[in-house]
Structure formats: C-alpha cells, structure tokens
Amino acid sequence: MSGNGLRPSGGPPYFARGTTILWRYRSSVSPMTVVADGPDGLVAWLPGNTPVLRSVLADGRDLREVGPVEMFRAGRALRRDVWHGHGSLRIAPTGRPWSVWLFWDGEGRHVCWYVNLEAPHRRDDQGIVSEDHAVDLVVRPDRSVEWKDLDELQGAVLAGRFRREQADTFLADAAAAARMVEAWAAPFGDGWERWTPDPAWSRPELPGHLVADY
C-alpha cells in the first residue's frame, strides 16, 4: 500500500456486489453501485440523476467554454450536479490505462462504449482513484471507432498539464485500446450491453462530508 493509503487494483479485499463506492478523478467524484469486482477488474453502475461532483471553472462555467488550452490553466472548483441521462455502466479492467463506459438512450437501447483513457486504477476502502488522460474513444455497436478530444490533449500539453512524451504515451494507449476493439476482446465482447441493473438497488448518494467540503 502506498503512503497515501491507495493500493493497486486487482487484489483483495474486493468490494461486495450492491455496495456503494466512490469513482474518483482529480476533477470529479461519482458514487456508484458495485456490479462485480475481482482480479480482472471492477464493474460499477451509475444511475441517471445520481448526485455527483464535477469540475467547473471558478466562476461556475463549463470548462470547455474557455477552449482546450485555457481549460487546463484556469482556476477550477467542484460543483454538485447530477448524472444526466439513462445511466452508465463503467468497467475498470485491472492494470489497463483506461476504463470502458457503456451508455444507453432513454428507451434503454445501447448507444456506445466510451473508452476513457486514464491512469491505471488504484483503490482504498472508499472506492477507486484515477487521473484522466484527455483523449477518448467512442465505439459504436457496429464496432466503428471514433477518436475524441485530441484537441484537449494538445491543449493540456500547451498548458503544461502534460509533457509531450506523456501525451505520446496516452495516444499509444488509445491505439492499443482500438486494437482490442478490433479483436473484440474483453470487455467489448462480454455482453455487458445487454446488462440491466437490479431493480432492488437504491440510487447511490454522495457522502455528506464531500458535499460540505466542496
């Protein structure tokens, strides 16, 4: 275990199915319900209208309003919000520099897999922690792949948030994820798009101290 109380994901103790954890980045906190957890990774569910904390500009505006460079230079704050839409199932494969998010439309039809490039996950007794790496992939049901937010990755380099060699590594990671899509490897070929949440689960909530602190 590291000095900050975090340990690599993949080893016990694991989170029990149905319990609430916190899925945390530098810029957001989402309470989620554990679907499965074990050596291969964590799967968790974020229902629509779940209260979350997300990063905004210090004056409350959306980060993207100031462009892909200034969004990494400007002052930020965490604001209470809710998760909009049907809900999202997130899969954090052990040791991978990404997570995979599944989205459905308002009728419950699967829309896409979203590959969020990020640092390999670490965890503590509250949940998991990672750092977003800006670039993302959108994978449609026909298995086509769209690269997203390359301008934000470039902006992060220009703003000094990441070094160029780090950005090159993130792009290589994204290419590796795209090859897994091409091979239809896990978790894309595991049938998660047909998954539905347990109707007995209640909506997860943010801990009170987080709401007070921000």
Side-chain angles (χ1 to χ4, degrees):
M1 183 175 291
S2 63
N4 57 7
L6 296 171
R7 65 183 190 276
S9 287
Y14 300 115
F15 299 116
R17 183 178 184 273
T19 59
T20 297
I21 62 164
L22 297 179
W23 189 297
R24 291 165 287 168
Y25 297 99
R26 175 193 296 259
S27 59
S28 68
V29 181
S30 301
M32 303 184 68
T33 301
V34 174
V35 175
D37 190 26
D40 294 332
L42 170 71
V43 183
W45 168 241
L46 179 64
N49 294 317
T50 296
V52 298
L53 295 177
R54 69 180 185 91
S55 187
V56 295
L57 297 171
D59 61 8
R61 289 181 296 157
D62 187 89
L63 296 175
R64 290 183 170 87
E65 289 192 23
V66 293
V69 178
E70 190 60 27
M71 66 185 292
F72 292 101
R73 289 176 175 161
R76 297 188 180 192
L78 283 177
R79 184 178 74 182
R80 184 183 173 94
D81 200 348
V82 297
W83 184 261
H84 299 281
H86 175 82
S88 177
L89 185 74
R90 297 185 186 178
I91 303 169
T94 297
R96 297 288 187 185
W98 60 72
S99 60
V100 179
W101 304 8
L102 283 82
F103 290 97
W104 292 264
D105 65 16
E107 303 300 319
R109 293 180 294 247
H110 178 239
V111 174
C112 69
W113 295 264
Y114 191 90
V115 183
N116 198 70
L117 275 293
E118 56 197 49
H121 299 88
R122 297 177 295 163
R123 62 173 63 196
D124 56 18
D125 59 359
Q126 296 185 84
I128 64 171
V129 178
S130 187
E131 178 184 54
D132 189 83
H133 289 167
V135 66
D136 306 297
L137 304 176
V138 175
V139 182
R140 303 295 180 187
D142 65 2
R143 305 189 187 184
S144 62
V145 177
E146 177 187 359
W147 290 60
K148 299 281 289 184
D149 301 330
L150 293 171
D151 60 332
E152 293 184 11
L153 180 60
Q154 177 66 15
V157 173
L158 294 174
R161 177 69 182 84
F162 297 127
R163 301 186 305 277
R164 170 52 59 189
E165 55 267 31
Q166 288 179 295
D168 290 343
T169 296
F170 304 158
L171 292 172
D173 291 339
R179 289 193 294 272
M180 293 187 70
V181 173
E182 184 178 1
W184 212 236
F188 305 101
D190 290 344
W192 285 109
E193 68 275 13
R194 298 186 295 275
W195 177 87
T196 56
D198 188 330
W201 286 343
S202 59
R203 187 183 68 185
E205 298 289 340
L206 284 168
H209 73 277
L210 288 182
V211 176
D213 286 349
Y214 300 99

